[in-house]
Amino acid sequence: MSGTIFTFTTPPVHPTTNHLTLSDHWDHLRARVGINRSGHLVEPGLYSLGNPTPDSPVFVTANYTLSFDAVRSSLDDWMKCYILVLDTKGINVWCAAGKGTFGTGELVNRIHITGLADKVNHRVLILPQLGATGVSAHEVKKLSGFRVEYGPVRAADLSAYLKTHKATPEMRRVQFNVIERLVLFPVELVKVLPYLLVISIILYFASGPLAAAGAAAAMLAGIFLFPILLPFIPTKDFSSKGFLLGGLIALPFALAAYRYGIEPAPCIHISRAITPMLLMPPVTAFISLNFTGSTTFTSVTGVRKEISTYTRVMAWMFASGTATLIILAILRITGW
């Protein structure tokens, strides 16, 4: 090995702009509907916007295209800055912080790889507030010499934040308003749609149009109505909110099922009425659980506790309802 010379080359700084192209918007649309979910990646590294100087601010974000584009597109044309993109495996800041990829180790590693200390005179990094759970500021200072500032929740507030380097209470508040909640439903719809079609077709031929419509209503309630009505459903847990919403949606189906047919046996009518009340609420509640990952209303430990508490109830109700549905379908097919 004598005579071998190892050299380390600092990766180049990638120039970028604050303008989004049609290609960027197309990528965002595909991400929003869940197409190629792991493929919306930005190359990790250091990016420059507007010919930055050594005194320009440094923003840190994830290598998920929606996260990166939210930062750069929110900055004004006059702004000169660096954007340090961490390798979060194409996951957004908040989820990556929970998984540890938007974390202290990756941040310190990326500072060294990009030679950031040679690019800027100051030693300040501005991180998104939702990344705070994954980054230990004092460890970053100890290992890299850079001080971490936790900026606003929304990239749109970055320009205002830079005026004082202080995030106001409003900047630190997670809004999760109706528009932000509605943005989530396309990806849930695309994910559930194949199951909805298959189950509805099977139920249509096995138990009739009412059962097929009930399955569709329970799933669509979890996808559309739950995010819209989230703040107005008077319980705390997402699962109990889903159960309540699914129960309300199931009521007209239970009434219609009770009145369906002319069988004299009361037990048949009662069984028909009970079936949607057993099947539909757990379906809506299960889909509602997906939204725990889209808001800081619930903590990681809170979600685990909720799943542990409610999934057994969901499973018991769904199994009981399925058994009742199969028995009724057999009776219907055999003409009993």
Side-chain angles (χ1 to χ4, degrees), residues 176-185 220-233 245 288 291:
F176 204 45
N177 56 39
V178 66
I179 300 300
E180 292 170 330
R181 298 197 299 273
L182 285 175
V183 167
L184 301 174
F185 83 75
L220 294 177
I223 295 170
F224 291 103
L225 291 182
F226 182 81
I228 293 173
L229 301 176
L230 177 63
F232 310 108
I233 304 175
L245 178 61
S288 301
F291 292 96

Side-chain angles (χ1 to χ4, degrees), residues 130 151 163 190 233 293:
L130 292 181
K163 296 176 181 175
V190 170
I233 304 175

Side-chain angles (χ1 to χ4, degrees), residues 44 90 98 124 192 215 257 264 268 273 282 284 333:
V124 179
V192 172
I268 299 294
T284 304
I333 293 171

Side-chain angles (χ1 to χ4, degrees), residues 256-277:
Y258 181 81
R259 294 181 174 179
Y260 179 79
I262 57 173
E263 291 81 1
C267 62
I268 299 294
H269 289 278
I270 294 173
S271 297
R272 283 177 177 159
I274 290 175
T275 301
M277 298 305 297

Side-chain angles (χ1 to χ4, degrees), residues 155-194:
D157 291 326
L158 279 174
S159 296
Y161 172 83
L162 281 180
K163 296 176 181 175
T164 60
H165 283 256
K166 298 287 184 184
T168 65
E170 188 65 22
M171 291 180 186
R172 296 195 181 283
R173 185 173 296 121
V174 177
Q175 300 290 341
F176 204 45
N177 56 39
V178 66
I179 300 300
E180 292 170 330
R181 298 197 299 273
L182 285 175
V183 167
L184 301 174
F185 83 75
V187 67
E188 294 296 328
L189 178 62
V190 170
K191 188 165 57 179
V192 172
L193 191 60

Side-chain angles (χ1 to χ4, degrees), residues 42 60-64 67-68 84-86 88 91-93 96 102:
V42 178
V60 181
T61 189
N63 75 322
Y64 180 48
S67 298
F68 176 71
L84 184 63
V85 177
L86 306 190
T88 62
I91 299 173
N92 67 70
V93 169
F102 191 95

